[in-house]
Amino acid sequence: AQSVTQPDIHITVSEGASLELRCNYSYGATPYLFWYVQSPGQGLQLLLKYFSGDTLVQGIKGFEAEFKRSQSSFNLRKPSVHWSDAAEYFCAVGPFGIAGNMLTFGGGTRLMVKP
Amino acid sequence: DAGVTQSPTHLIKTRGQQVTLRCSPKSGHDTVSWYQQALGQGPQFIFQYYEEEERQRGNFPDRFSGHQFPNYSSELNVNALLLGDSALYLCASSGGLAGVGETQYFGPGTRLLVL
């Protein structure tokens, strides 16, 4: 069965500092990988996705993520964090093919930004 | 372009009651998935509807049922509510079952509180 682990439940960074959120997945085939962000009281907004090709993917709001197959990881990065980035971040894995696109989510990482 | 919409935004029910949540997919999308997000956790897949049929189901009891209408909108029904059903219920839409390059777009959710 597929699973996603986000080892860090909470992370606090200073505004302007760099950020890396970790995501490890377990999946038996080629996965689709996603990062979503959720602000308080909101639904999920897609930041970026990886399907194939270049293992470094760019997303919205200045985020990027790197797929490392050998480490089963898909870590999210941002070079300079803004106060508005404070939110909960979810990594998710989905299947490829006609079985549909059910997503399995990690437990989330709550990001706090210090002024 | 309207995104995914859900109603109601909040709902309070008592144990044993039944509830119906509604979702309208993003324009051009024909597949609707439902997720349950308990407080402090990542979303968990409930089921997915395509062509008015349930195509995939997660690990949820039969108390959870759904329906998809010809206009692709969907309902989630939960019978015999338990305290543990209190959660944010998220609807996501996508453009088909193939899973190739498909991205799920999420609505803002319905927050259900069971007393």
Side-chain angles (χ1 to χ4, degrees):
Chain A
Q2 59 224 46
S3 65
V4 177
T5 302
Q6 295 180 245
D8 304 304
I9 298 175
H10 294 97
I11 283 186
T12 301
V13 300
S14 298
E15 192 169 16
S18 63
L19 171 70
E20 181 168 27
L21 302 183
R22 295 183 291 165
C23 171
N24 294 98
Y25 67 91
S26 173
Y27 192 70
T30 302
Y32 284 164
L33 293 159
F34 305 81
W35 275 99
Y36 284 88
V37 61
Q38 186 176 38
S39 298
Q42 305 281 321
L44 300 172
Q45 181 184 22
L46 179 70
L47 285 176
L48 48 78
K49 60 187 179 185
Y50 172 77
F51 293 140
S52 64
D54 192 346
T55 56
L56 184 64
V57 293
Q58 302 297 319
I60 63 171
K61 305 185 180 184
F63 285 94
E64 66 177 27
E66 186 171 13
F67 171 58
K68 293 185 177 180
R69 185 185 300 275
S70 62
Q71 298 177 20
S72 297
S73 69
F74 189 56
N75 294 348
L76 182 72
R77 300 193 294 248
K78 187 170 185 178
S80 178
V81 169
H82 187 263
W83 65 266
S84 61
D85 293 324
E88 185 127 28
Y89 292 79
F90 292 95
C91 180
V93 61
F96 178 101
I98 62 173
N101 48 10
M102 176 189 90
L103 294 178
T104 298
F105 285 85
T109 297
R110 181 165 297 279
L111 172 66
M112 289 171 281
V113 180
K114 292 190 300 185
Chain B
D1 177 24
V4 180
T5 59
Q6 293 186 244
S7 63
T9 55
H10 295 82
L11 206 50
I12 300 175
K13 293 286 188 178
T14 56
R15 281 178 295 175
Q17 285 189 312
Q18 178 264 343
V19 68
T20 297
L21 311 181
R22 296 176 176 82
C23 171
S24 291
K26 184 178 169 66
S27 178
H29 285 180
D30 57 8
T31 301
V32 173
S33 301
W34 286 93
Y35 292 80
Q36 180 196 65
Q37 185 179 18
L39 199 60
Q41 297 182 24
Q44 283 194 295
F45 176 77
I46 303 174
F47 43 53
Q48 182 179 77
Y49 276 83
Y50 173 70
E51 292 187 337
E52 302 180 47
E53 289 188 17
E54 182 182 296
R55 299 291 180 158
Q56 274 193 301
R57 190 178 183 91
N59 189 26
F60 279 81
D62 291 345
R63 298 187 297 108
F64 289 77
S65 63
H67 188 77
Q68 187 179 34
F69 299 93
N71 66 353
Y72 309 123
S73 67
S74 177
E75 288 182 348
L76 164 65
N77 301 293
V78 186
N79 294 321
L81 284 167
L82 304 174
L83 296 180
D85 295 331
S86 296
L88 181 67
Y89 288 85
L90 295 164
C91 171
S93 73
S94 56
L97 272 187
V100 179
E102 289 300 332
T103 297
Q104 293 187 37
Y105 293 86
F106 284 81
T110 293
R111 187 162 296 282
L112 172 65
L113 178 61
V114 182
L115 301 176

